[in-house]
């Protein structure tokens, strides 16, 4: 059976017109003769959407009973029996009510696709799993209903339904998205212009990534290797040399000429793990690339030009930026160089050769022997002694029978000397060995004179072979040492990078690590003060520098100016790493420079963390201010408007009210003003709690009386509440007014959410010096991941409006409980529902009038409901 096609209408936010666009497509397909039905479409009371639904066939929905309530879901089995060509299924991220079959609606859609039915569906960008955390940071709302990105990317078609933030806010203000009572709160919170702009950009970027993937798949399937300039991508090649920053900035300027162009930096490393690149320079260049909005990549390859071209074609690059050759004229005569070879291989990719200050300079400094002077002298002595031993061993005999043995022994001597002392002692050994063979085996014997040309040719061949052997052995030994050093450096640098990523103080860890690794006496990271003037005096004056971080051994002091150290490594224009203790070797300096680059990263990381910590209270204050304005504009305005309308009506002389009507209007005004008083009181109490100035007067209170006093506020509703508060409970230490408000709030919530036939219950027990009150309901409950948000001010979970109020009840209740030395926390009710657990301190026995009975744990168990 052929799998059906999936078409998804993707939007940045609710209300952009996804469902309307889906219905419009359904009408077009129906008019072309397709069999189209509606599986599930949610109109949300929008008139235009309802008009589009009226003339389309709709499969009746399935009603599912859950926890005493009835819900409507798509009837999957009915749609499969109907077997249309096209079915409309709205809101694919929706979570089905338990008992519906599949847990998620997108799983129902997968069943329809497997049955060969084409599906049209809708999705908001905030429901994608990979963007869930990002959306929460932007909007402050975590989406519980998500769908895997991979499943959505597998859709046959994804169409973006786009709308500017201003247009969407106008739609919302005109009542085309939500009911009028939700407009003010929505405009002030989720539908702020900044939120909508960010969500819109997320949707565009996510869809652009899918378009790139589709383009890459098409190119791969059709064997397309040529560059398609669908988007400018600029690749800059970095060698790890000092010219890298010039190349990166030049490439960034090229990328900025085309809007939306990508900048990619690539470094080609040798596959043997050895590299001539400076890790510190590469680290700084990587930071520069990332600060300019680009990405850094590293690939392996022996043939640099082919590796660059392969990478550029793999990312569909349009331009490649290279540095002009640093080699001299003689070197360029023998090889065209990387730039010319890359240009010849580039094809449709434009290659830019950028000049820089390093042009014409040698690519590498004079080779320094990795073998110490002492080892070279020891190798020379070994060669002299070994050759003498060979001569005495052969008895300085000219017997041709000893010729083979002499040649083998001399070759062995050259090889051993090359391993011990490197190239030059081995060359000396080969020359001396050839002279020994000349003395013993060429006529005239025991002289350096060569009588026959054949003998001269044989000696020259021996020297060439001996020199070749010594070169090969020295090169192998050199590479072995370089590989071991490179491995050690890589392990050390990996540890350094790990220190930056882990720990709360990565900069201090880096300083300590550098101090221990190279046995320095002090390590200091200095930062130039603003306004300091450069020059020699500037390097010596501690007043021009500040110590950002340091690590010193006991009894030592940190350096306070670059001139006070044995070596200083400039990191950038402001930062310098200064060490004291010993002069490091050339290879060690490269690693120290890498430490310095990572120290700059760690410093930036710490400063960003401090800035984030500073900004967080401001962001929280802004959120609270926004929520307060929303609450004031909505929740305070309603009772104020009711009271104003009642008073205005009573003062009117145009209408004559009966006594009954006058009493009704006065009662409405009185009730509205009482409600307004409670709201203002809650606001003032919340401000006192946050400022830490709430007045609390603790005294001994009988808990049973406090519970019944709180229940009296609910009148007849309280009759259904089951109460199990033992009379022998000890008194509690609490503030009478605060305790009454806490109990009233949690009991009121339990009454509001308890289903019919399952009234809430209040029970109390004690253990030790604490008394615990449980307010139990069997309502819908709250998922564990949302329980912390229950106590956030100005918020109602699920964006529901279940009555009047600012959303401060639970926040105030928790604050009051903690102010009295107790706690308030949610828990799950066995069988479903929510249990609020209020813990208070028990009063002293003499104050309570009675002490808890012995065996507190048993007493607690007996007193539970």
């Amino acid at each position: 059976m052929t799998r059906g096609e999936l078409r998804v209408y993707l939007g940045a936010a609710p209300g952009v017109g996804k469902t309307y666009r889906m219905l419009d497509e359904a009408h077009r397909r129906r008019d072309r003769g397709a069999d189209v039905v509606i599986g599930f479409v949610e109109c949300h009371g929008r008139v235009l959407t309802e008009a589009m639904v009226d003339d389309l066939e709709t499969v009746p929905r399935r009603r599912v009973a859950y926890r005493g309530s009835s819900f409507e879901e798509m009837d999957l089995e009915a749609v499969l029996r109907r077997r249309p060509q096209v079915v409309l299924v709205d809101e694919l991220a929706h979570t089905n009510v338990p008992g519906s079959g599949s847990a998620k609606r997108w799983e129902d859609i997968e069943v329809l696709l497997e049955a060969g039915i084409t599906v049209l569906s809708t999705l908001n960008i905030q429901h994608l799993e990979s963007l869930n955390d990002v959306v929460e940071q932007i909007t402050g709302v975590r989406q519980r209903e998500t769908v895997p990105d991979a499943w959505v990317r597998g859709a046959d078609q994804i169409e973006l339904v786009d709308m500017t933030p201003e247009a969407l806010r106008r739609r919302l203000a005109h009542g085309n998205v939500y009911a009028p009572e939700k407009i003010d709160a929505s405009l002030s919170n989720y539908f702020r212009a900044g939120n909508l702009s960010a969500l819109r950009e997320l949707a565009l970027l996510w869809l652009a990534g899918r378009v790139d993937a589709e383009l890459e798949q098409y190119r791969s399937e059709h064997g397309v290797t040529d560059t398609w300039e669908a988007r400018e991508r600029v690749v800059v090649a970095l060698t790890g040399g000092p010219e890298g920053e010039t190349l990166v900035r030049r490439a960034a300027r090229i990328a900025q000429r085309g809007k939306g162009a990508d900048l990619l930096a690539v470094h080609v490393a040798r596959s043997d793990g050895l590299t001539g690149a400076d890790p510190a320079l590469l680290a700084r260049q990587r930071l520069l690339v990332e600060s300019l909005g680009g990405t850094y990549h590293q690939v392996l390859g022996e043939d640099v030009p082919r590796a660059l071209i392969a990478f550029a074609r793999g990312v569909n690059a349009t331009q490649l930026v290279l540095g002009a050759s640093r080699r001299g004229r003689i070197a360029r005569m023998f090889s065209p160089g990387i730039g010319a070879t890359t240009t010849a291989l580039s094809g449709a990719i434009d290659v830019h050769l950028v000049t820089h200050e390093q042009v014409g300079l040698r690519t590498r400094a004079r080779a320094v022997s990795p073998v110490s002077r002492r080892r070279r002298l020891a190798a020379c002595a070994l060669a002299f002694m070994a050759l003498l031993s060979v001569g005495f061993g052969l008895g300085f005999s000219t017997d041709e029978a000893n010729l083979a043995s002499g040649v083998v022994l001399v070759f062995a001597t050259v090889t051993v000397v090359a391993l011990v002392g490197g190239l030059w002692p081995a060359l000396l050994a080969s020359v001396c060995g050839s002279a020994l063979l000349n003395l013993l085996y060429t006529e005239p014997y025991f002289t350096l004179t060569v009588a026959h040309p054949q003998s001269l040719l044989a000696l020259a061949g021996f020297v060439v072979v001996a020199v070749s052997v010594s070169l090969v052995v020295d090169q192998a030994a050199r590479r072995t040492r370089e590989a071991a050093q490179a491995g050690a450096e890589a392990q050390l640098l990996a540890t350094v990078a790990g220190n930056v990523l882990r720990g709360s103080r990565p900069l201090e860890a880096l300083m300590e690590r550098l101090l221990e690794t190279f046995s320095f006496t002090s390590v200091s990271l200095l930062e130039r003060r603003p306004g300091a003037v450069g020059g020699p005096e500037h390097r010596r004056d501690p007043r021009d520098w500040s110590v950002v971080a340091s690590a010193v051994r006991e009894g030592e002091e940190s350096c306070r100016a670059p001139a006070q150290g044995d070596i200083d490594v400039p990191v950038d224009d402001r930062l310098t790493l200064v060490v004291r203790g010993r002069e490091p070797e050339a290879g060690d300096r490269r690693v120290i420079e890498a430490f310095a680059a990572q120290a700059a990263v760690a410093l930036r990381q710490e400063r960003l963390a401090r800035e984030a910590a500073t900004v967080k209270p401001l962001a929280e204050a802004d959120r609270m201010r926004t929520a307060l304005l929303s609450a004031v504009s909505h929740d305070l305005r309603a009772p104020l408007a009711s009271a104003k309308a009642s008073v205005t009506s009573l003062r009117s002389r145009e209408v004559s009210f009966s006594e009954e009507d006058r009493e009704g209007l006065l009662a409405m005004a009185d009730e509205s003003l009482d409600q307004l008083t409670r709201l203002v009181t809650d606001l003032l109490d919340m401000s006192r709690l946050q400022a830490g100035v709430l007045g609390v007067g603790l005294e001994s209170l009988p808990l049973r009386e406090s519970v019944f006093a709180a229940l009296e506020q609910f009148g007849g509703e309280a009759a259904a509440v089951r109460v199990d508060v033992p009379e022998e409970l000890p008194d509690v230490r609490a503030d009478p007014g605060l305790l009454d408000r806490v109990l009233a709030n949690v009991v009121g919530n339990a009454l509001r959410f308890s289903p019919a036939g399952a009234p809430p219950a209040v029970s109390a027990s004690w253990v030790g010096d604490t008394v615990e009150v449980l307010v139990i309901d069997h309502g819908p409950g709250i998922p564990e991941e949302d329980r912390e948000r229950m106590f956030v001010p100005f918020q109602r979970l699920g964006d529901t409006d279940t009555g009047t109020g600012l959303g401060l009840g639970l926040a105030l209740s928790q604050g009051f409980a903690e102010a009295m030395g107790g706690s308030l926390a949610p828990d799950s009710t066995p069988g479903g529902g929510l249990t609020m657990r209020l813990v208070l301190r028990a009063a002293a026995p003499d104050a309570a009038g009675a002490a808890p009975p012995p065996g507190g744990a048993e007493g607690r168990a007996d007193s539970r409901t």
Side-chain angles (χ1 to χ4, degrees):
M1 180 181 295
T2 304
R3 179 181 170 87
E5 294 184 358
L6 173 63
R7 182 166 187 168
V8 176
Y9 293 87
L10 179 68
V16 296
K18 303 180 300 299
T19 303
Y20 190 89
R21 187 77 62 85
M22 178 182 66
L23 289 166
D24 188 49
E25 174 65 18
H27 279 85
R28 282 197 296 270
R29 296 197 181 204
R30 186 198 61 181
D31 294 341
R32 293 196 299 265
D35 182 16
V36 181
V37 302
I38 293 177
F40 190 99
V41 169
E42 187 64 64
C43 297
H44 297 289
R46 298 165 190 169
V47 178
L48 296 178
T49 305
E50 291 175 348
M52 295 286 286
V53 170
D54 287 342
D55 56 345
L56 289 174
E57 179 184 349
T58 302
V59 176
R61 300 180 183 182
R62 177 185 178 189
R63 300 198 66 86
V64 180
Y66 179 67
R67 291 188 176 179
S69 300
S70 181
F71 301 90
E72 289 186 343
E73 295 288 0
M74 181 180 70
D75 194 336
L76 177 61
E77 296 180 358
V79 175
L80 291 174
R81 287 194 301 269
R82 172 65 175 75
R83 293 198 62 81
Q85 290 178 307
V86 182
V87 62
L88 279 61
V89 183
D90 206 4
E91 299 178 356
L92 66 84
H94 170 76
T95 300
N96 292 330
V97 175
S100 304
S102 302
K104 298 284 187 178
R105 185 167 291 166
W106 65 266
E107 296 175 347
D108 291 337
I109 294 176
E110 181 66 23
V111 175
L112 294 172
L113 295 174
E114 291 293 337
I117 301 174
T118 295
V119 179
L120 307 182
S121 189
T122 63
L123 178 70
N124 283 328
I125 193 69
Q126 64 263 31
H127 294 295
L128 288 170
E129 182 64 44
S130 65
L131 300 178
N132 192 260
D133 293 340
V134 180
V135 172
E136 182 181 10
Q137 292 175 358
I138 295 171
T139 64
V141 178
R142 186 172 187 84
Q143 300 293 333
R144 294 190 298 274
E145 297 180 330
T146 59
V147 60
D149 290 53
W151 189 85
V152 180
R153 289 185 186 275
D156 298 276
Q157 296 181 65
I158 299 180
E159 180 177 335
L160 180 66
V161 183
D162 193 21
M163 181 177 288
T164 63
E166 293 77 12
L168 180 55
R169 285 171 60 83
R170 281 197 300 271
R171 285 200 67 199
L172 184 65
H174 293 159
N176 295 329
V177 179
Y178 288 147
E181 62 270 14
K182 292 188 177 182
I183 293 176
D184 290 340
S186 298
L187 286 172
S188 303
N189 291 283
Y190 193 91
F191 286 83
R192 287 183 291 180
N195 290 358
L196 296 177
S197 296
L199 292 174
R200 187 187 188 200
E201 184 174 5
L202 277 180
L204 291 170
L205 290 174
W206 188 89
L207 193 60
R210 183 180 187 272
V211 172
D212 282 345
E214 289 179 345
L215 177 61
E216 194 61 33
Q217 181 180 358
Y218 179 86
R219 285 164 51 86
S220 176
E221 291 175 350
H222 292 78
V224 178
T225 57
D226 296 334
T227 299
W228 287 4
E229 299 185 13
R231 176 196 283 185
E232 288 286 347
R233 284 188 173 87
V234 182
V235 174
V236 54
L238 301 178
T239 63
E243 76 282 357
E245 294 187 5
T246 302
L247 301 182
V248 170
R249 292 190 174 95
R250 178 62 174 159
R253 290 196 295 273
I254 294 174
Q256 289 171 359
R257 294 173 185 170
K259 294 183 178 180
D262 294 334
L263 174 63
L264 302 91
V266 59
H267 170 68
V268 179
R270 291 170 53 179
S271 58
D272 58 6
L274 305 177
T275 176
D278 189 330
L281 288 176
L282 276 178
R284 287 201 289 268
Q285 291 161 15
R286 177 173 186 169
L287 287 176
L288 178 60
V289 169
E290 293 173 349
S291 68
L292 293 172
T295 57
Y296 177 86
H297 308 267
Q298 186 162 313
V299 297
L300 296 178
E302 293 295 340
D303 190 334
V304 175
R306 294 188 182 278
L308 286 176
I309 293 299
F311 176 82
R313 287 177 176 165
V315 298
N316 198 28
T318 56
Q319 303 187 60
L320 180 60
V321 178
L322 302 174
S325 177
R326 294 181 293 174
R327 301 184 307 156
R329 295 180 180 177
I330 297 177
R332 291 199 294 270
M333 291 174 58
F334 292 96
S335 172
I338 292 175
T341 306
T342 304
T343 303
L345 297 173
S346 62
I349 302 175
D350 297 334
V351 179
H352 302 264
L353 287 177
V354 180
T355 59
H356 49 83
E357 296 179 353
Q358 305 296 318
V359 171
L361 299 181
R362 298 180 62 183
T363 55
R364 61 179 65 184
R366 180 177 59 89
V368 179
S369 175
V371 182
S372 65
R373 179 184 180 89
R374 180 177 299 179
R375 283 185 58 180
R376 293 198 298 271
L377 292 176
C380 291
L382 174 64
F384 179 74
M385 296 298 296
L387 292 175
L388 283 180
S389 300
V390 169
F392 281 111
L394 299 176
F396 287 98
S397 170
T398 60
D399 187 357
E400 293 185 1
N402 293 330
L403 175 60
S405 300
V407 172
V408 171
L409 290 174
V410 170
F411 268 127
T413 299
V414 171
T415 302
V416 172
V417 170
L419 289 172
V420 174
L423 178 61
W424 295 109
L427 293 178
L428 177 64
S430 65
V431 172
C432 293
S434 65
L436 178 63
L437 295 177
N438 180 22
L439 286 172
L440 296 178
Y441 302 112
T442 60
E443 296 179 353
Y445 299 112
F446 301 109
T447 68
L448 296 177
T449 304
V450 179
H452 303 290
Q454 294 85 351
S455 299
L456 181 61
L457 182 61
L459 286 175
F462 173 82
V463 171
V464 171
V465 173
V467 169
S468 300
V469 170
S470 63
L471 285 172
V472 171
V473 173
D474 176 78
Q475 191 73 6
R478 188 185 295 269
R479 288 289 179 262
T480 301
R481 286 189 291 268
E482 289 178 355
Q485 183 179 2
E489 289 183 3
Q491 183 176 3
L492 181 59
L493 293 176
T495 304
V496 171
N499 287 337
V500 175
L501 295 174
R502 297 186 299 269
S504 57
R505 304 290 292 177
L507 185 55
E508 293 182 1
L510 277 176
M511 298 291 102
E512 293 289 344
R513 184 74 178 182
L514 182 57
L515 186 75
E516 296 172 1
T517 302
F518 296 100
S519 300
F520 293 131
T521 57
S522 71
V523 178
S524 304
L525 183 63
L526 306 182
E527 184 175 26
R528 188 177 61 186
R529 297 183 187 276
V533 182
E537 293 297 328
H538 162 70
R539 289 175 45 80
R540 290 193 290 268
D541 192 350
R543 292 174 299 179
D544 291 342
W545 300 87
S546 61
V547 181
V548 177
S550 65
V552 297
R553 296 193 181 276
E554 188 175 355
E556 299 289 337
E557 294 183 357
S558 59
C559 300
R560 299 191 174 275
Q564 295 179 0
D566 295 323
I567 180 176
D568 62 281
V569 179
V571 181
D572 53 30
D573 295 338
R574 299 180 301 104
L575 297 173
T576 299
L577 182 70
V578 183
V579 299
R580 180 192 294 163
R582 67 178 182 86
E583 185 72 21
E585 299 178 1
D588 293 343
R589 185 181 175 94
R590 294 199 323 164
V591 180
I592 295 173
E593 290 176 348
F595 266 94
Q598 293 294 336
V601 175
L603 176 61
R604 185 178 65 173
Q605 179 178 318
E606 289 189 3
R607 287 179 172 174
L608 288 175
R610 286 198 295 267
E611 290 177 4
T614 304
V615 171
K616 186 176 180 180
L618 298 177
E620 181 65 19
D622 181 69
R623 190 193 68 79
M624 292 288 291
R625 181 166 54 253
T626 303
L628 176 60
L629 291 174
S630 173
V632 169
S633 65
H634 182 266
D635 293 289
L636 294 183
R637 188 170 57 185
L640 188 61
S642 297
K644 174 67 174 175
S646 299
V647 173
T648 302
S649 299
L650 290 172
R651 293 187 60 189
S652 175
R653 298 180 180 179
E654 298 178 359
V655 181
S656 178
F657 293 101
S658 65
E659 188 64 25
E660 184 179 355
D661 291 337
R662 291 176 60 83
E663 287 296 329
L665 290 173
L666 287 172
M668 180 185 297
D670 184 60
E671 182 181 350
S672 298
L673 291 174
D674 287 343
Q675 181 183 346
L676 189 62
T677 301
R678 288 194 298 271
L679 295 176
V680 173
T681 301
D682 285 348
L683 283 173
L684 293 175
D685 287 341
M686 178 55 65
S687 65
R688 293 190 185 102
L689 274 174
Q690 293 178 340
V693 295
L694 181 69
V696 181
L698 298 180
E699 57 184 81
S700 297
L701 298 174
L703 181 61
R704 185 179 177 87
E705 294 181 8
S706 299
V707 170
F708 283 107
L711 291 175
E712 289 178 0
Q713 301 179 29
F714 301 100
E717 291 184 79
V721 178
R722 294 182 292 112
V723 179
D724 184 11
V725 181
E727 295 183 358
E728 63 271 15
L729 271 179
D731 290 354
V732 296
R733 291 284 293 171
D735 183 291
L738 299 185
L739 178 58
D740 181 67
R741 293 180 64 184
V742 172
L743 291 172
N745 278 328
V746 293
V747 172
N749 283 337
L751 285 169
R752 186 178 304 120
F753 293 104
S754 292
V762 179
S763 65
S765 58
W766 72 96
V767 60
D769 59 350
T770 60
V771 176
E772 184 179 79
V773 182
L774 302 180
V775 180
I776 306 165
D777 70 63
H778 297 279
I782 295 177
E784 290 189 13
E785 60 269 18
D786 290 334
R787 289 179 183 171
E788 291 185 4
R789 294 173 50 218
M790 291 171 55
F791 303 101
V792 177
F794 307 107
Q795 178 171 291
R796 301 184 184 96
L797 290 181
D799 196 24
T800 59
D801 190 1
T802 56
T804 60
L806 298 171
L808 290 175
L810 287 176
L812 284 171
S813 298
Q814 188 181 56
F816 291 161
E818 293 174 354
M820 293 185 293
S823 64
L824 180 66
D827 200 354
S828 297
T829 300
L834 185 71
T835 296
M836 296 301 295
R837 191 182 303 273
L838 172 64
V839 178
L840 299 169
R841 289 183 298 174
D846 55 347
E858 290 79 359
R860 177 180 178 182
D862 292 341
S863 64
R864 288 188 178 273
T865 303

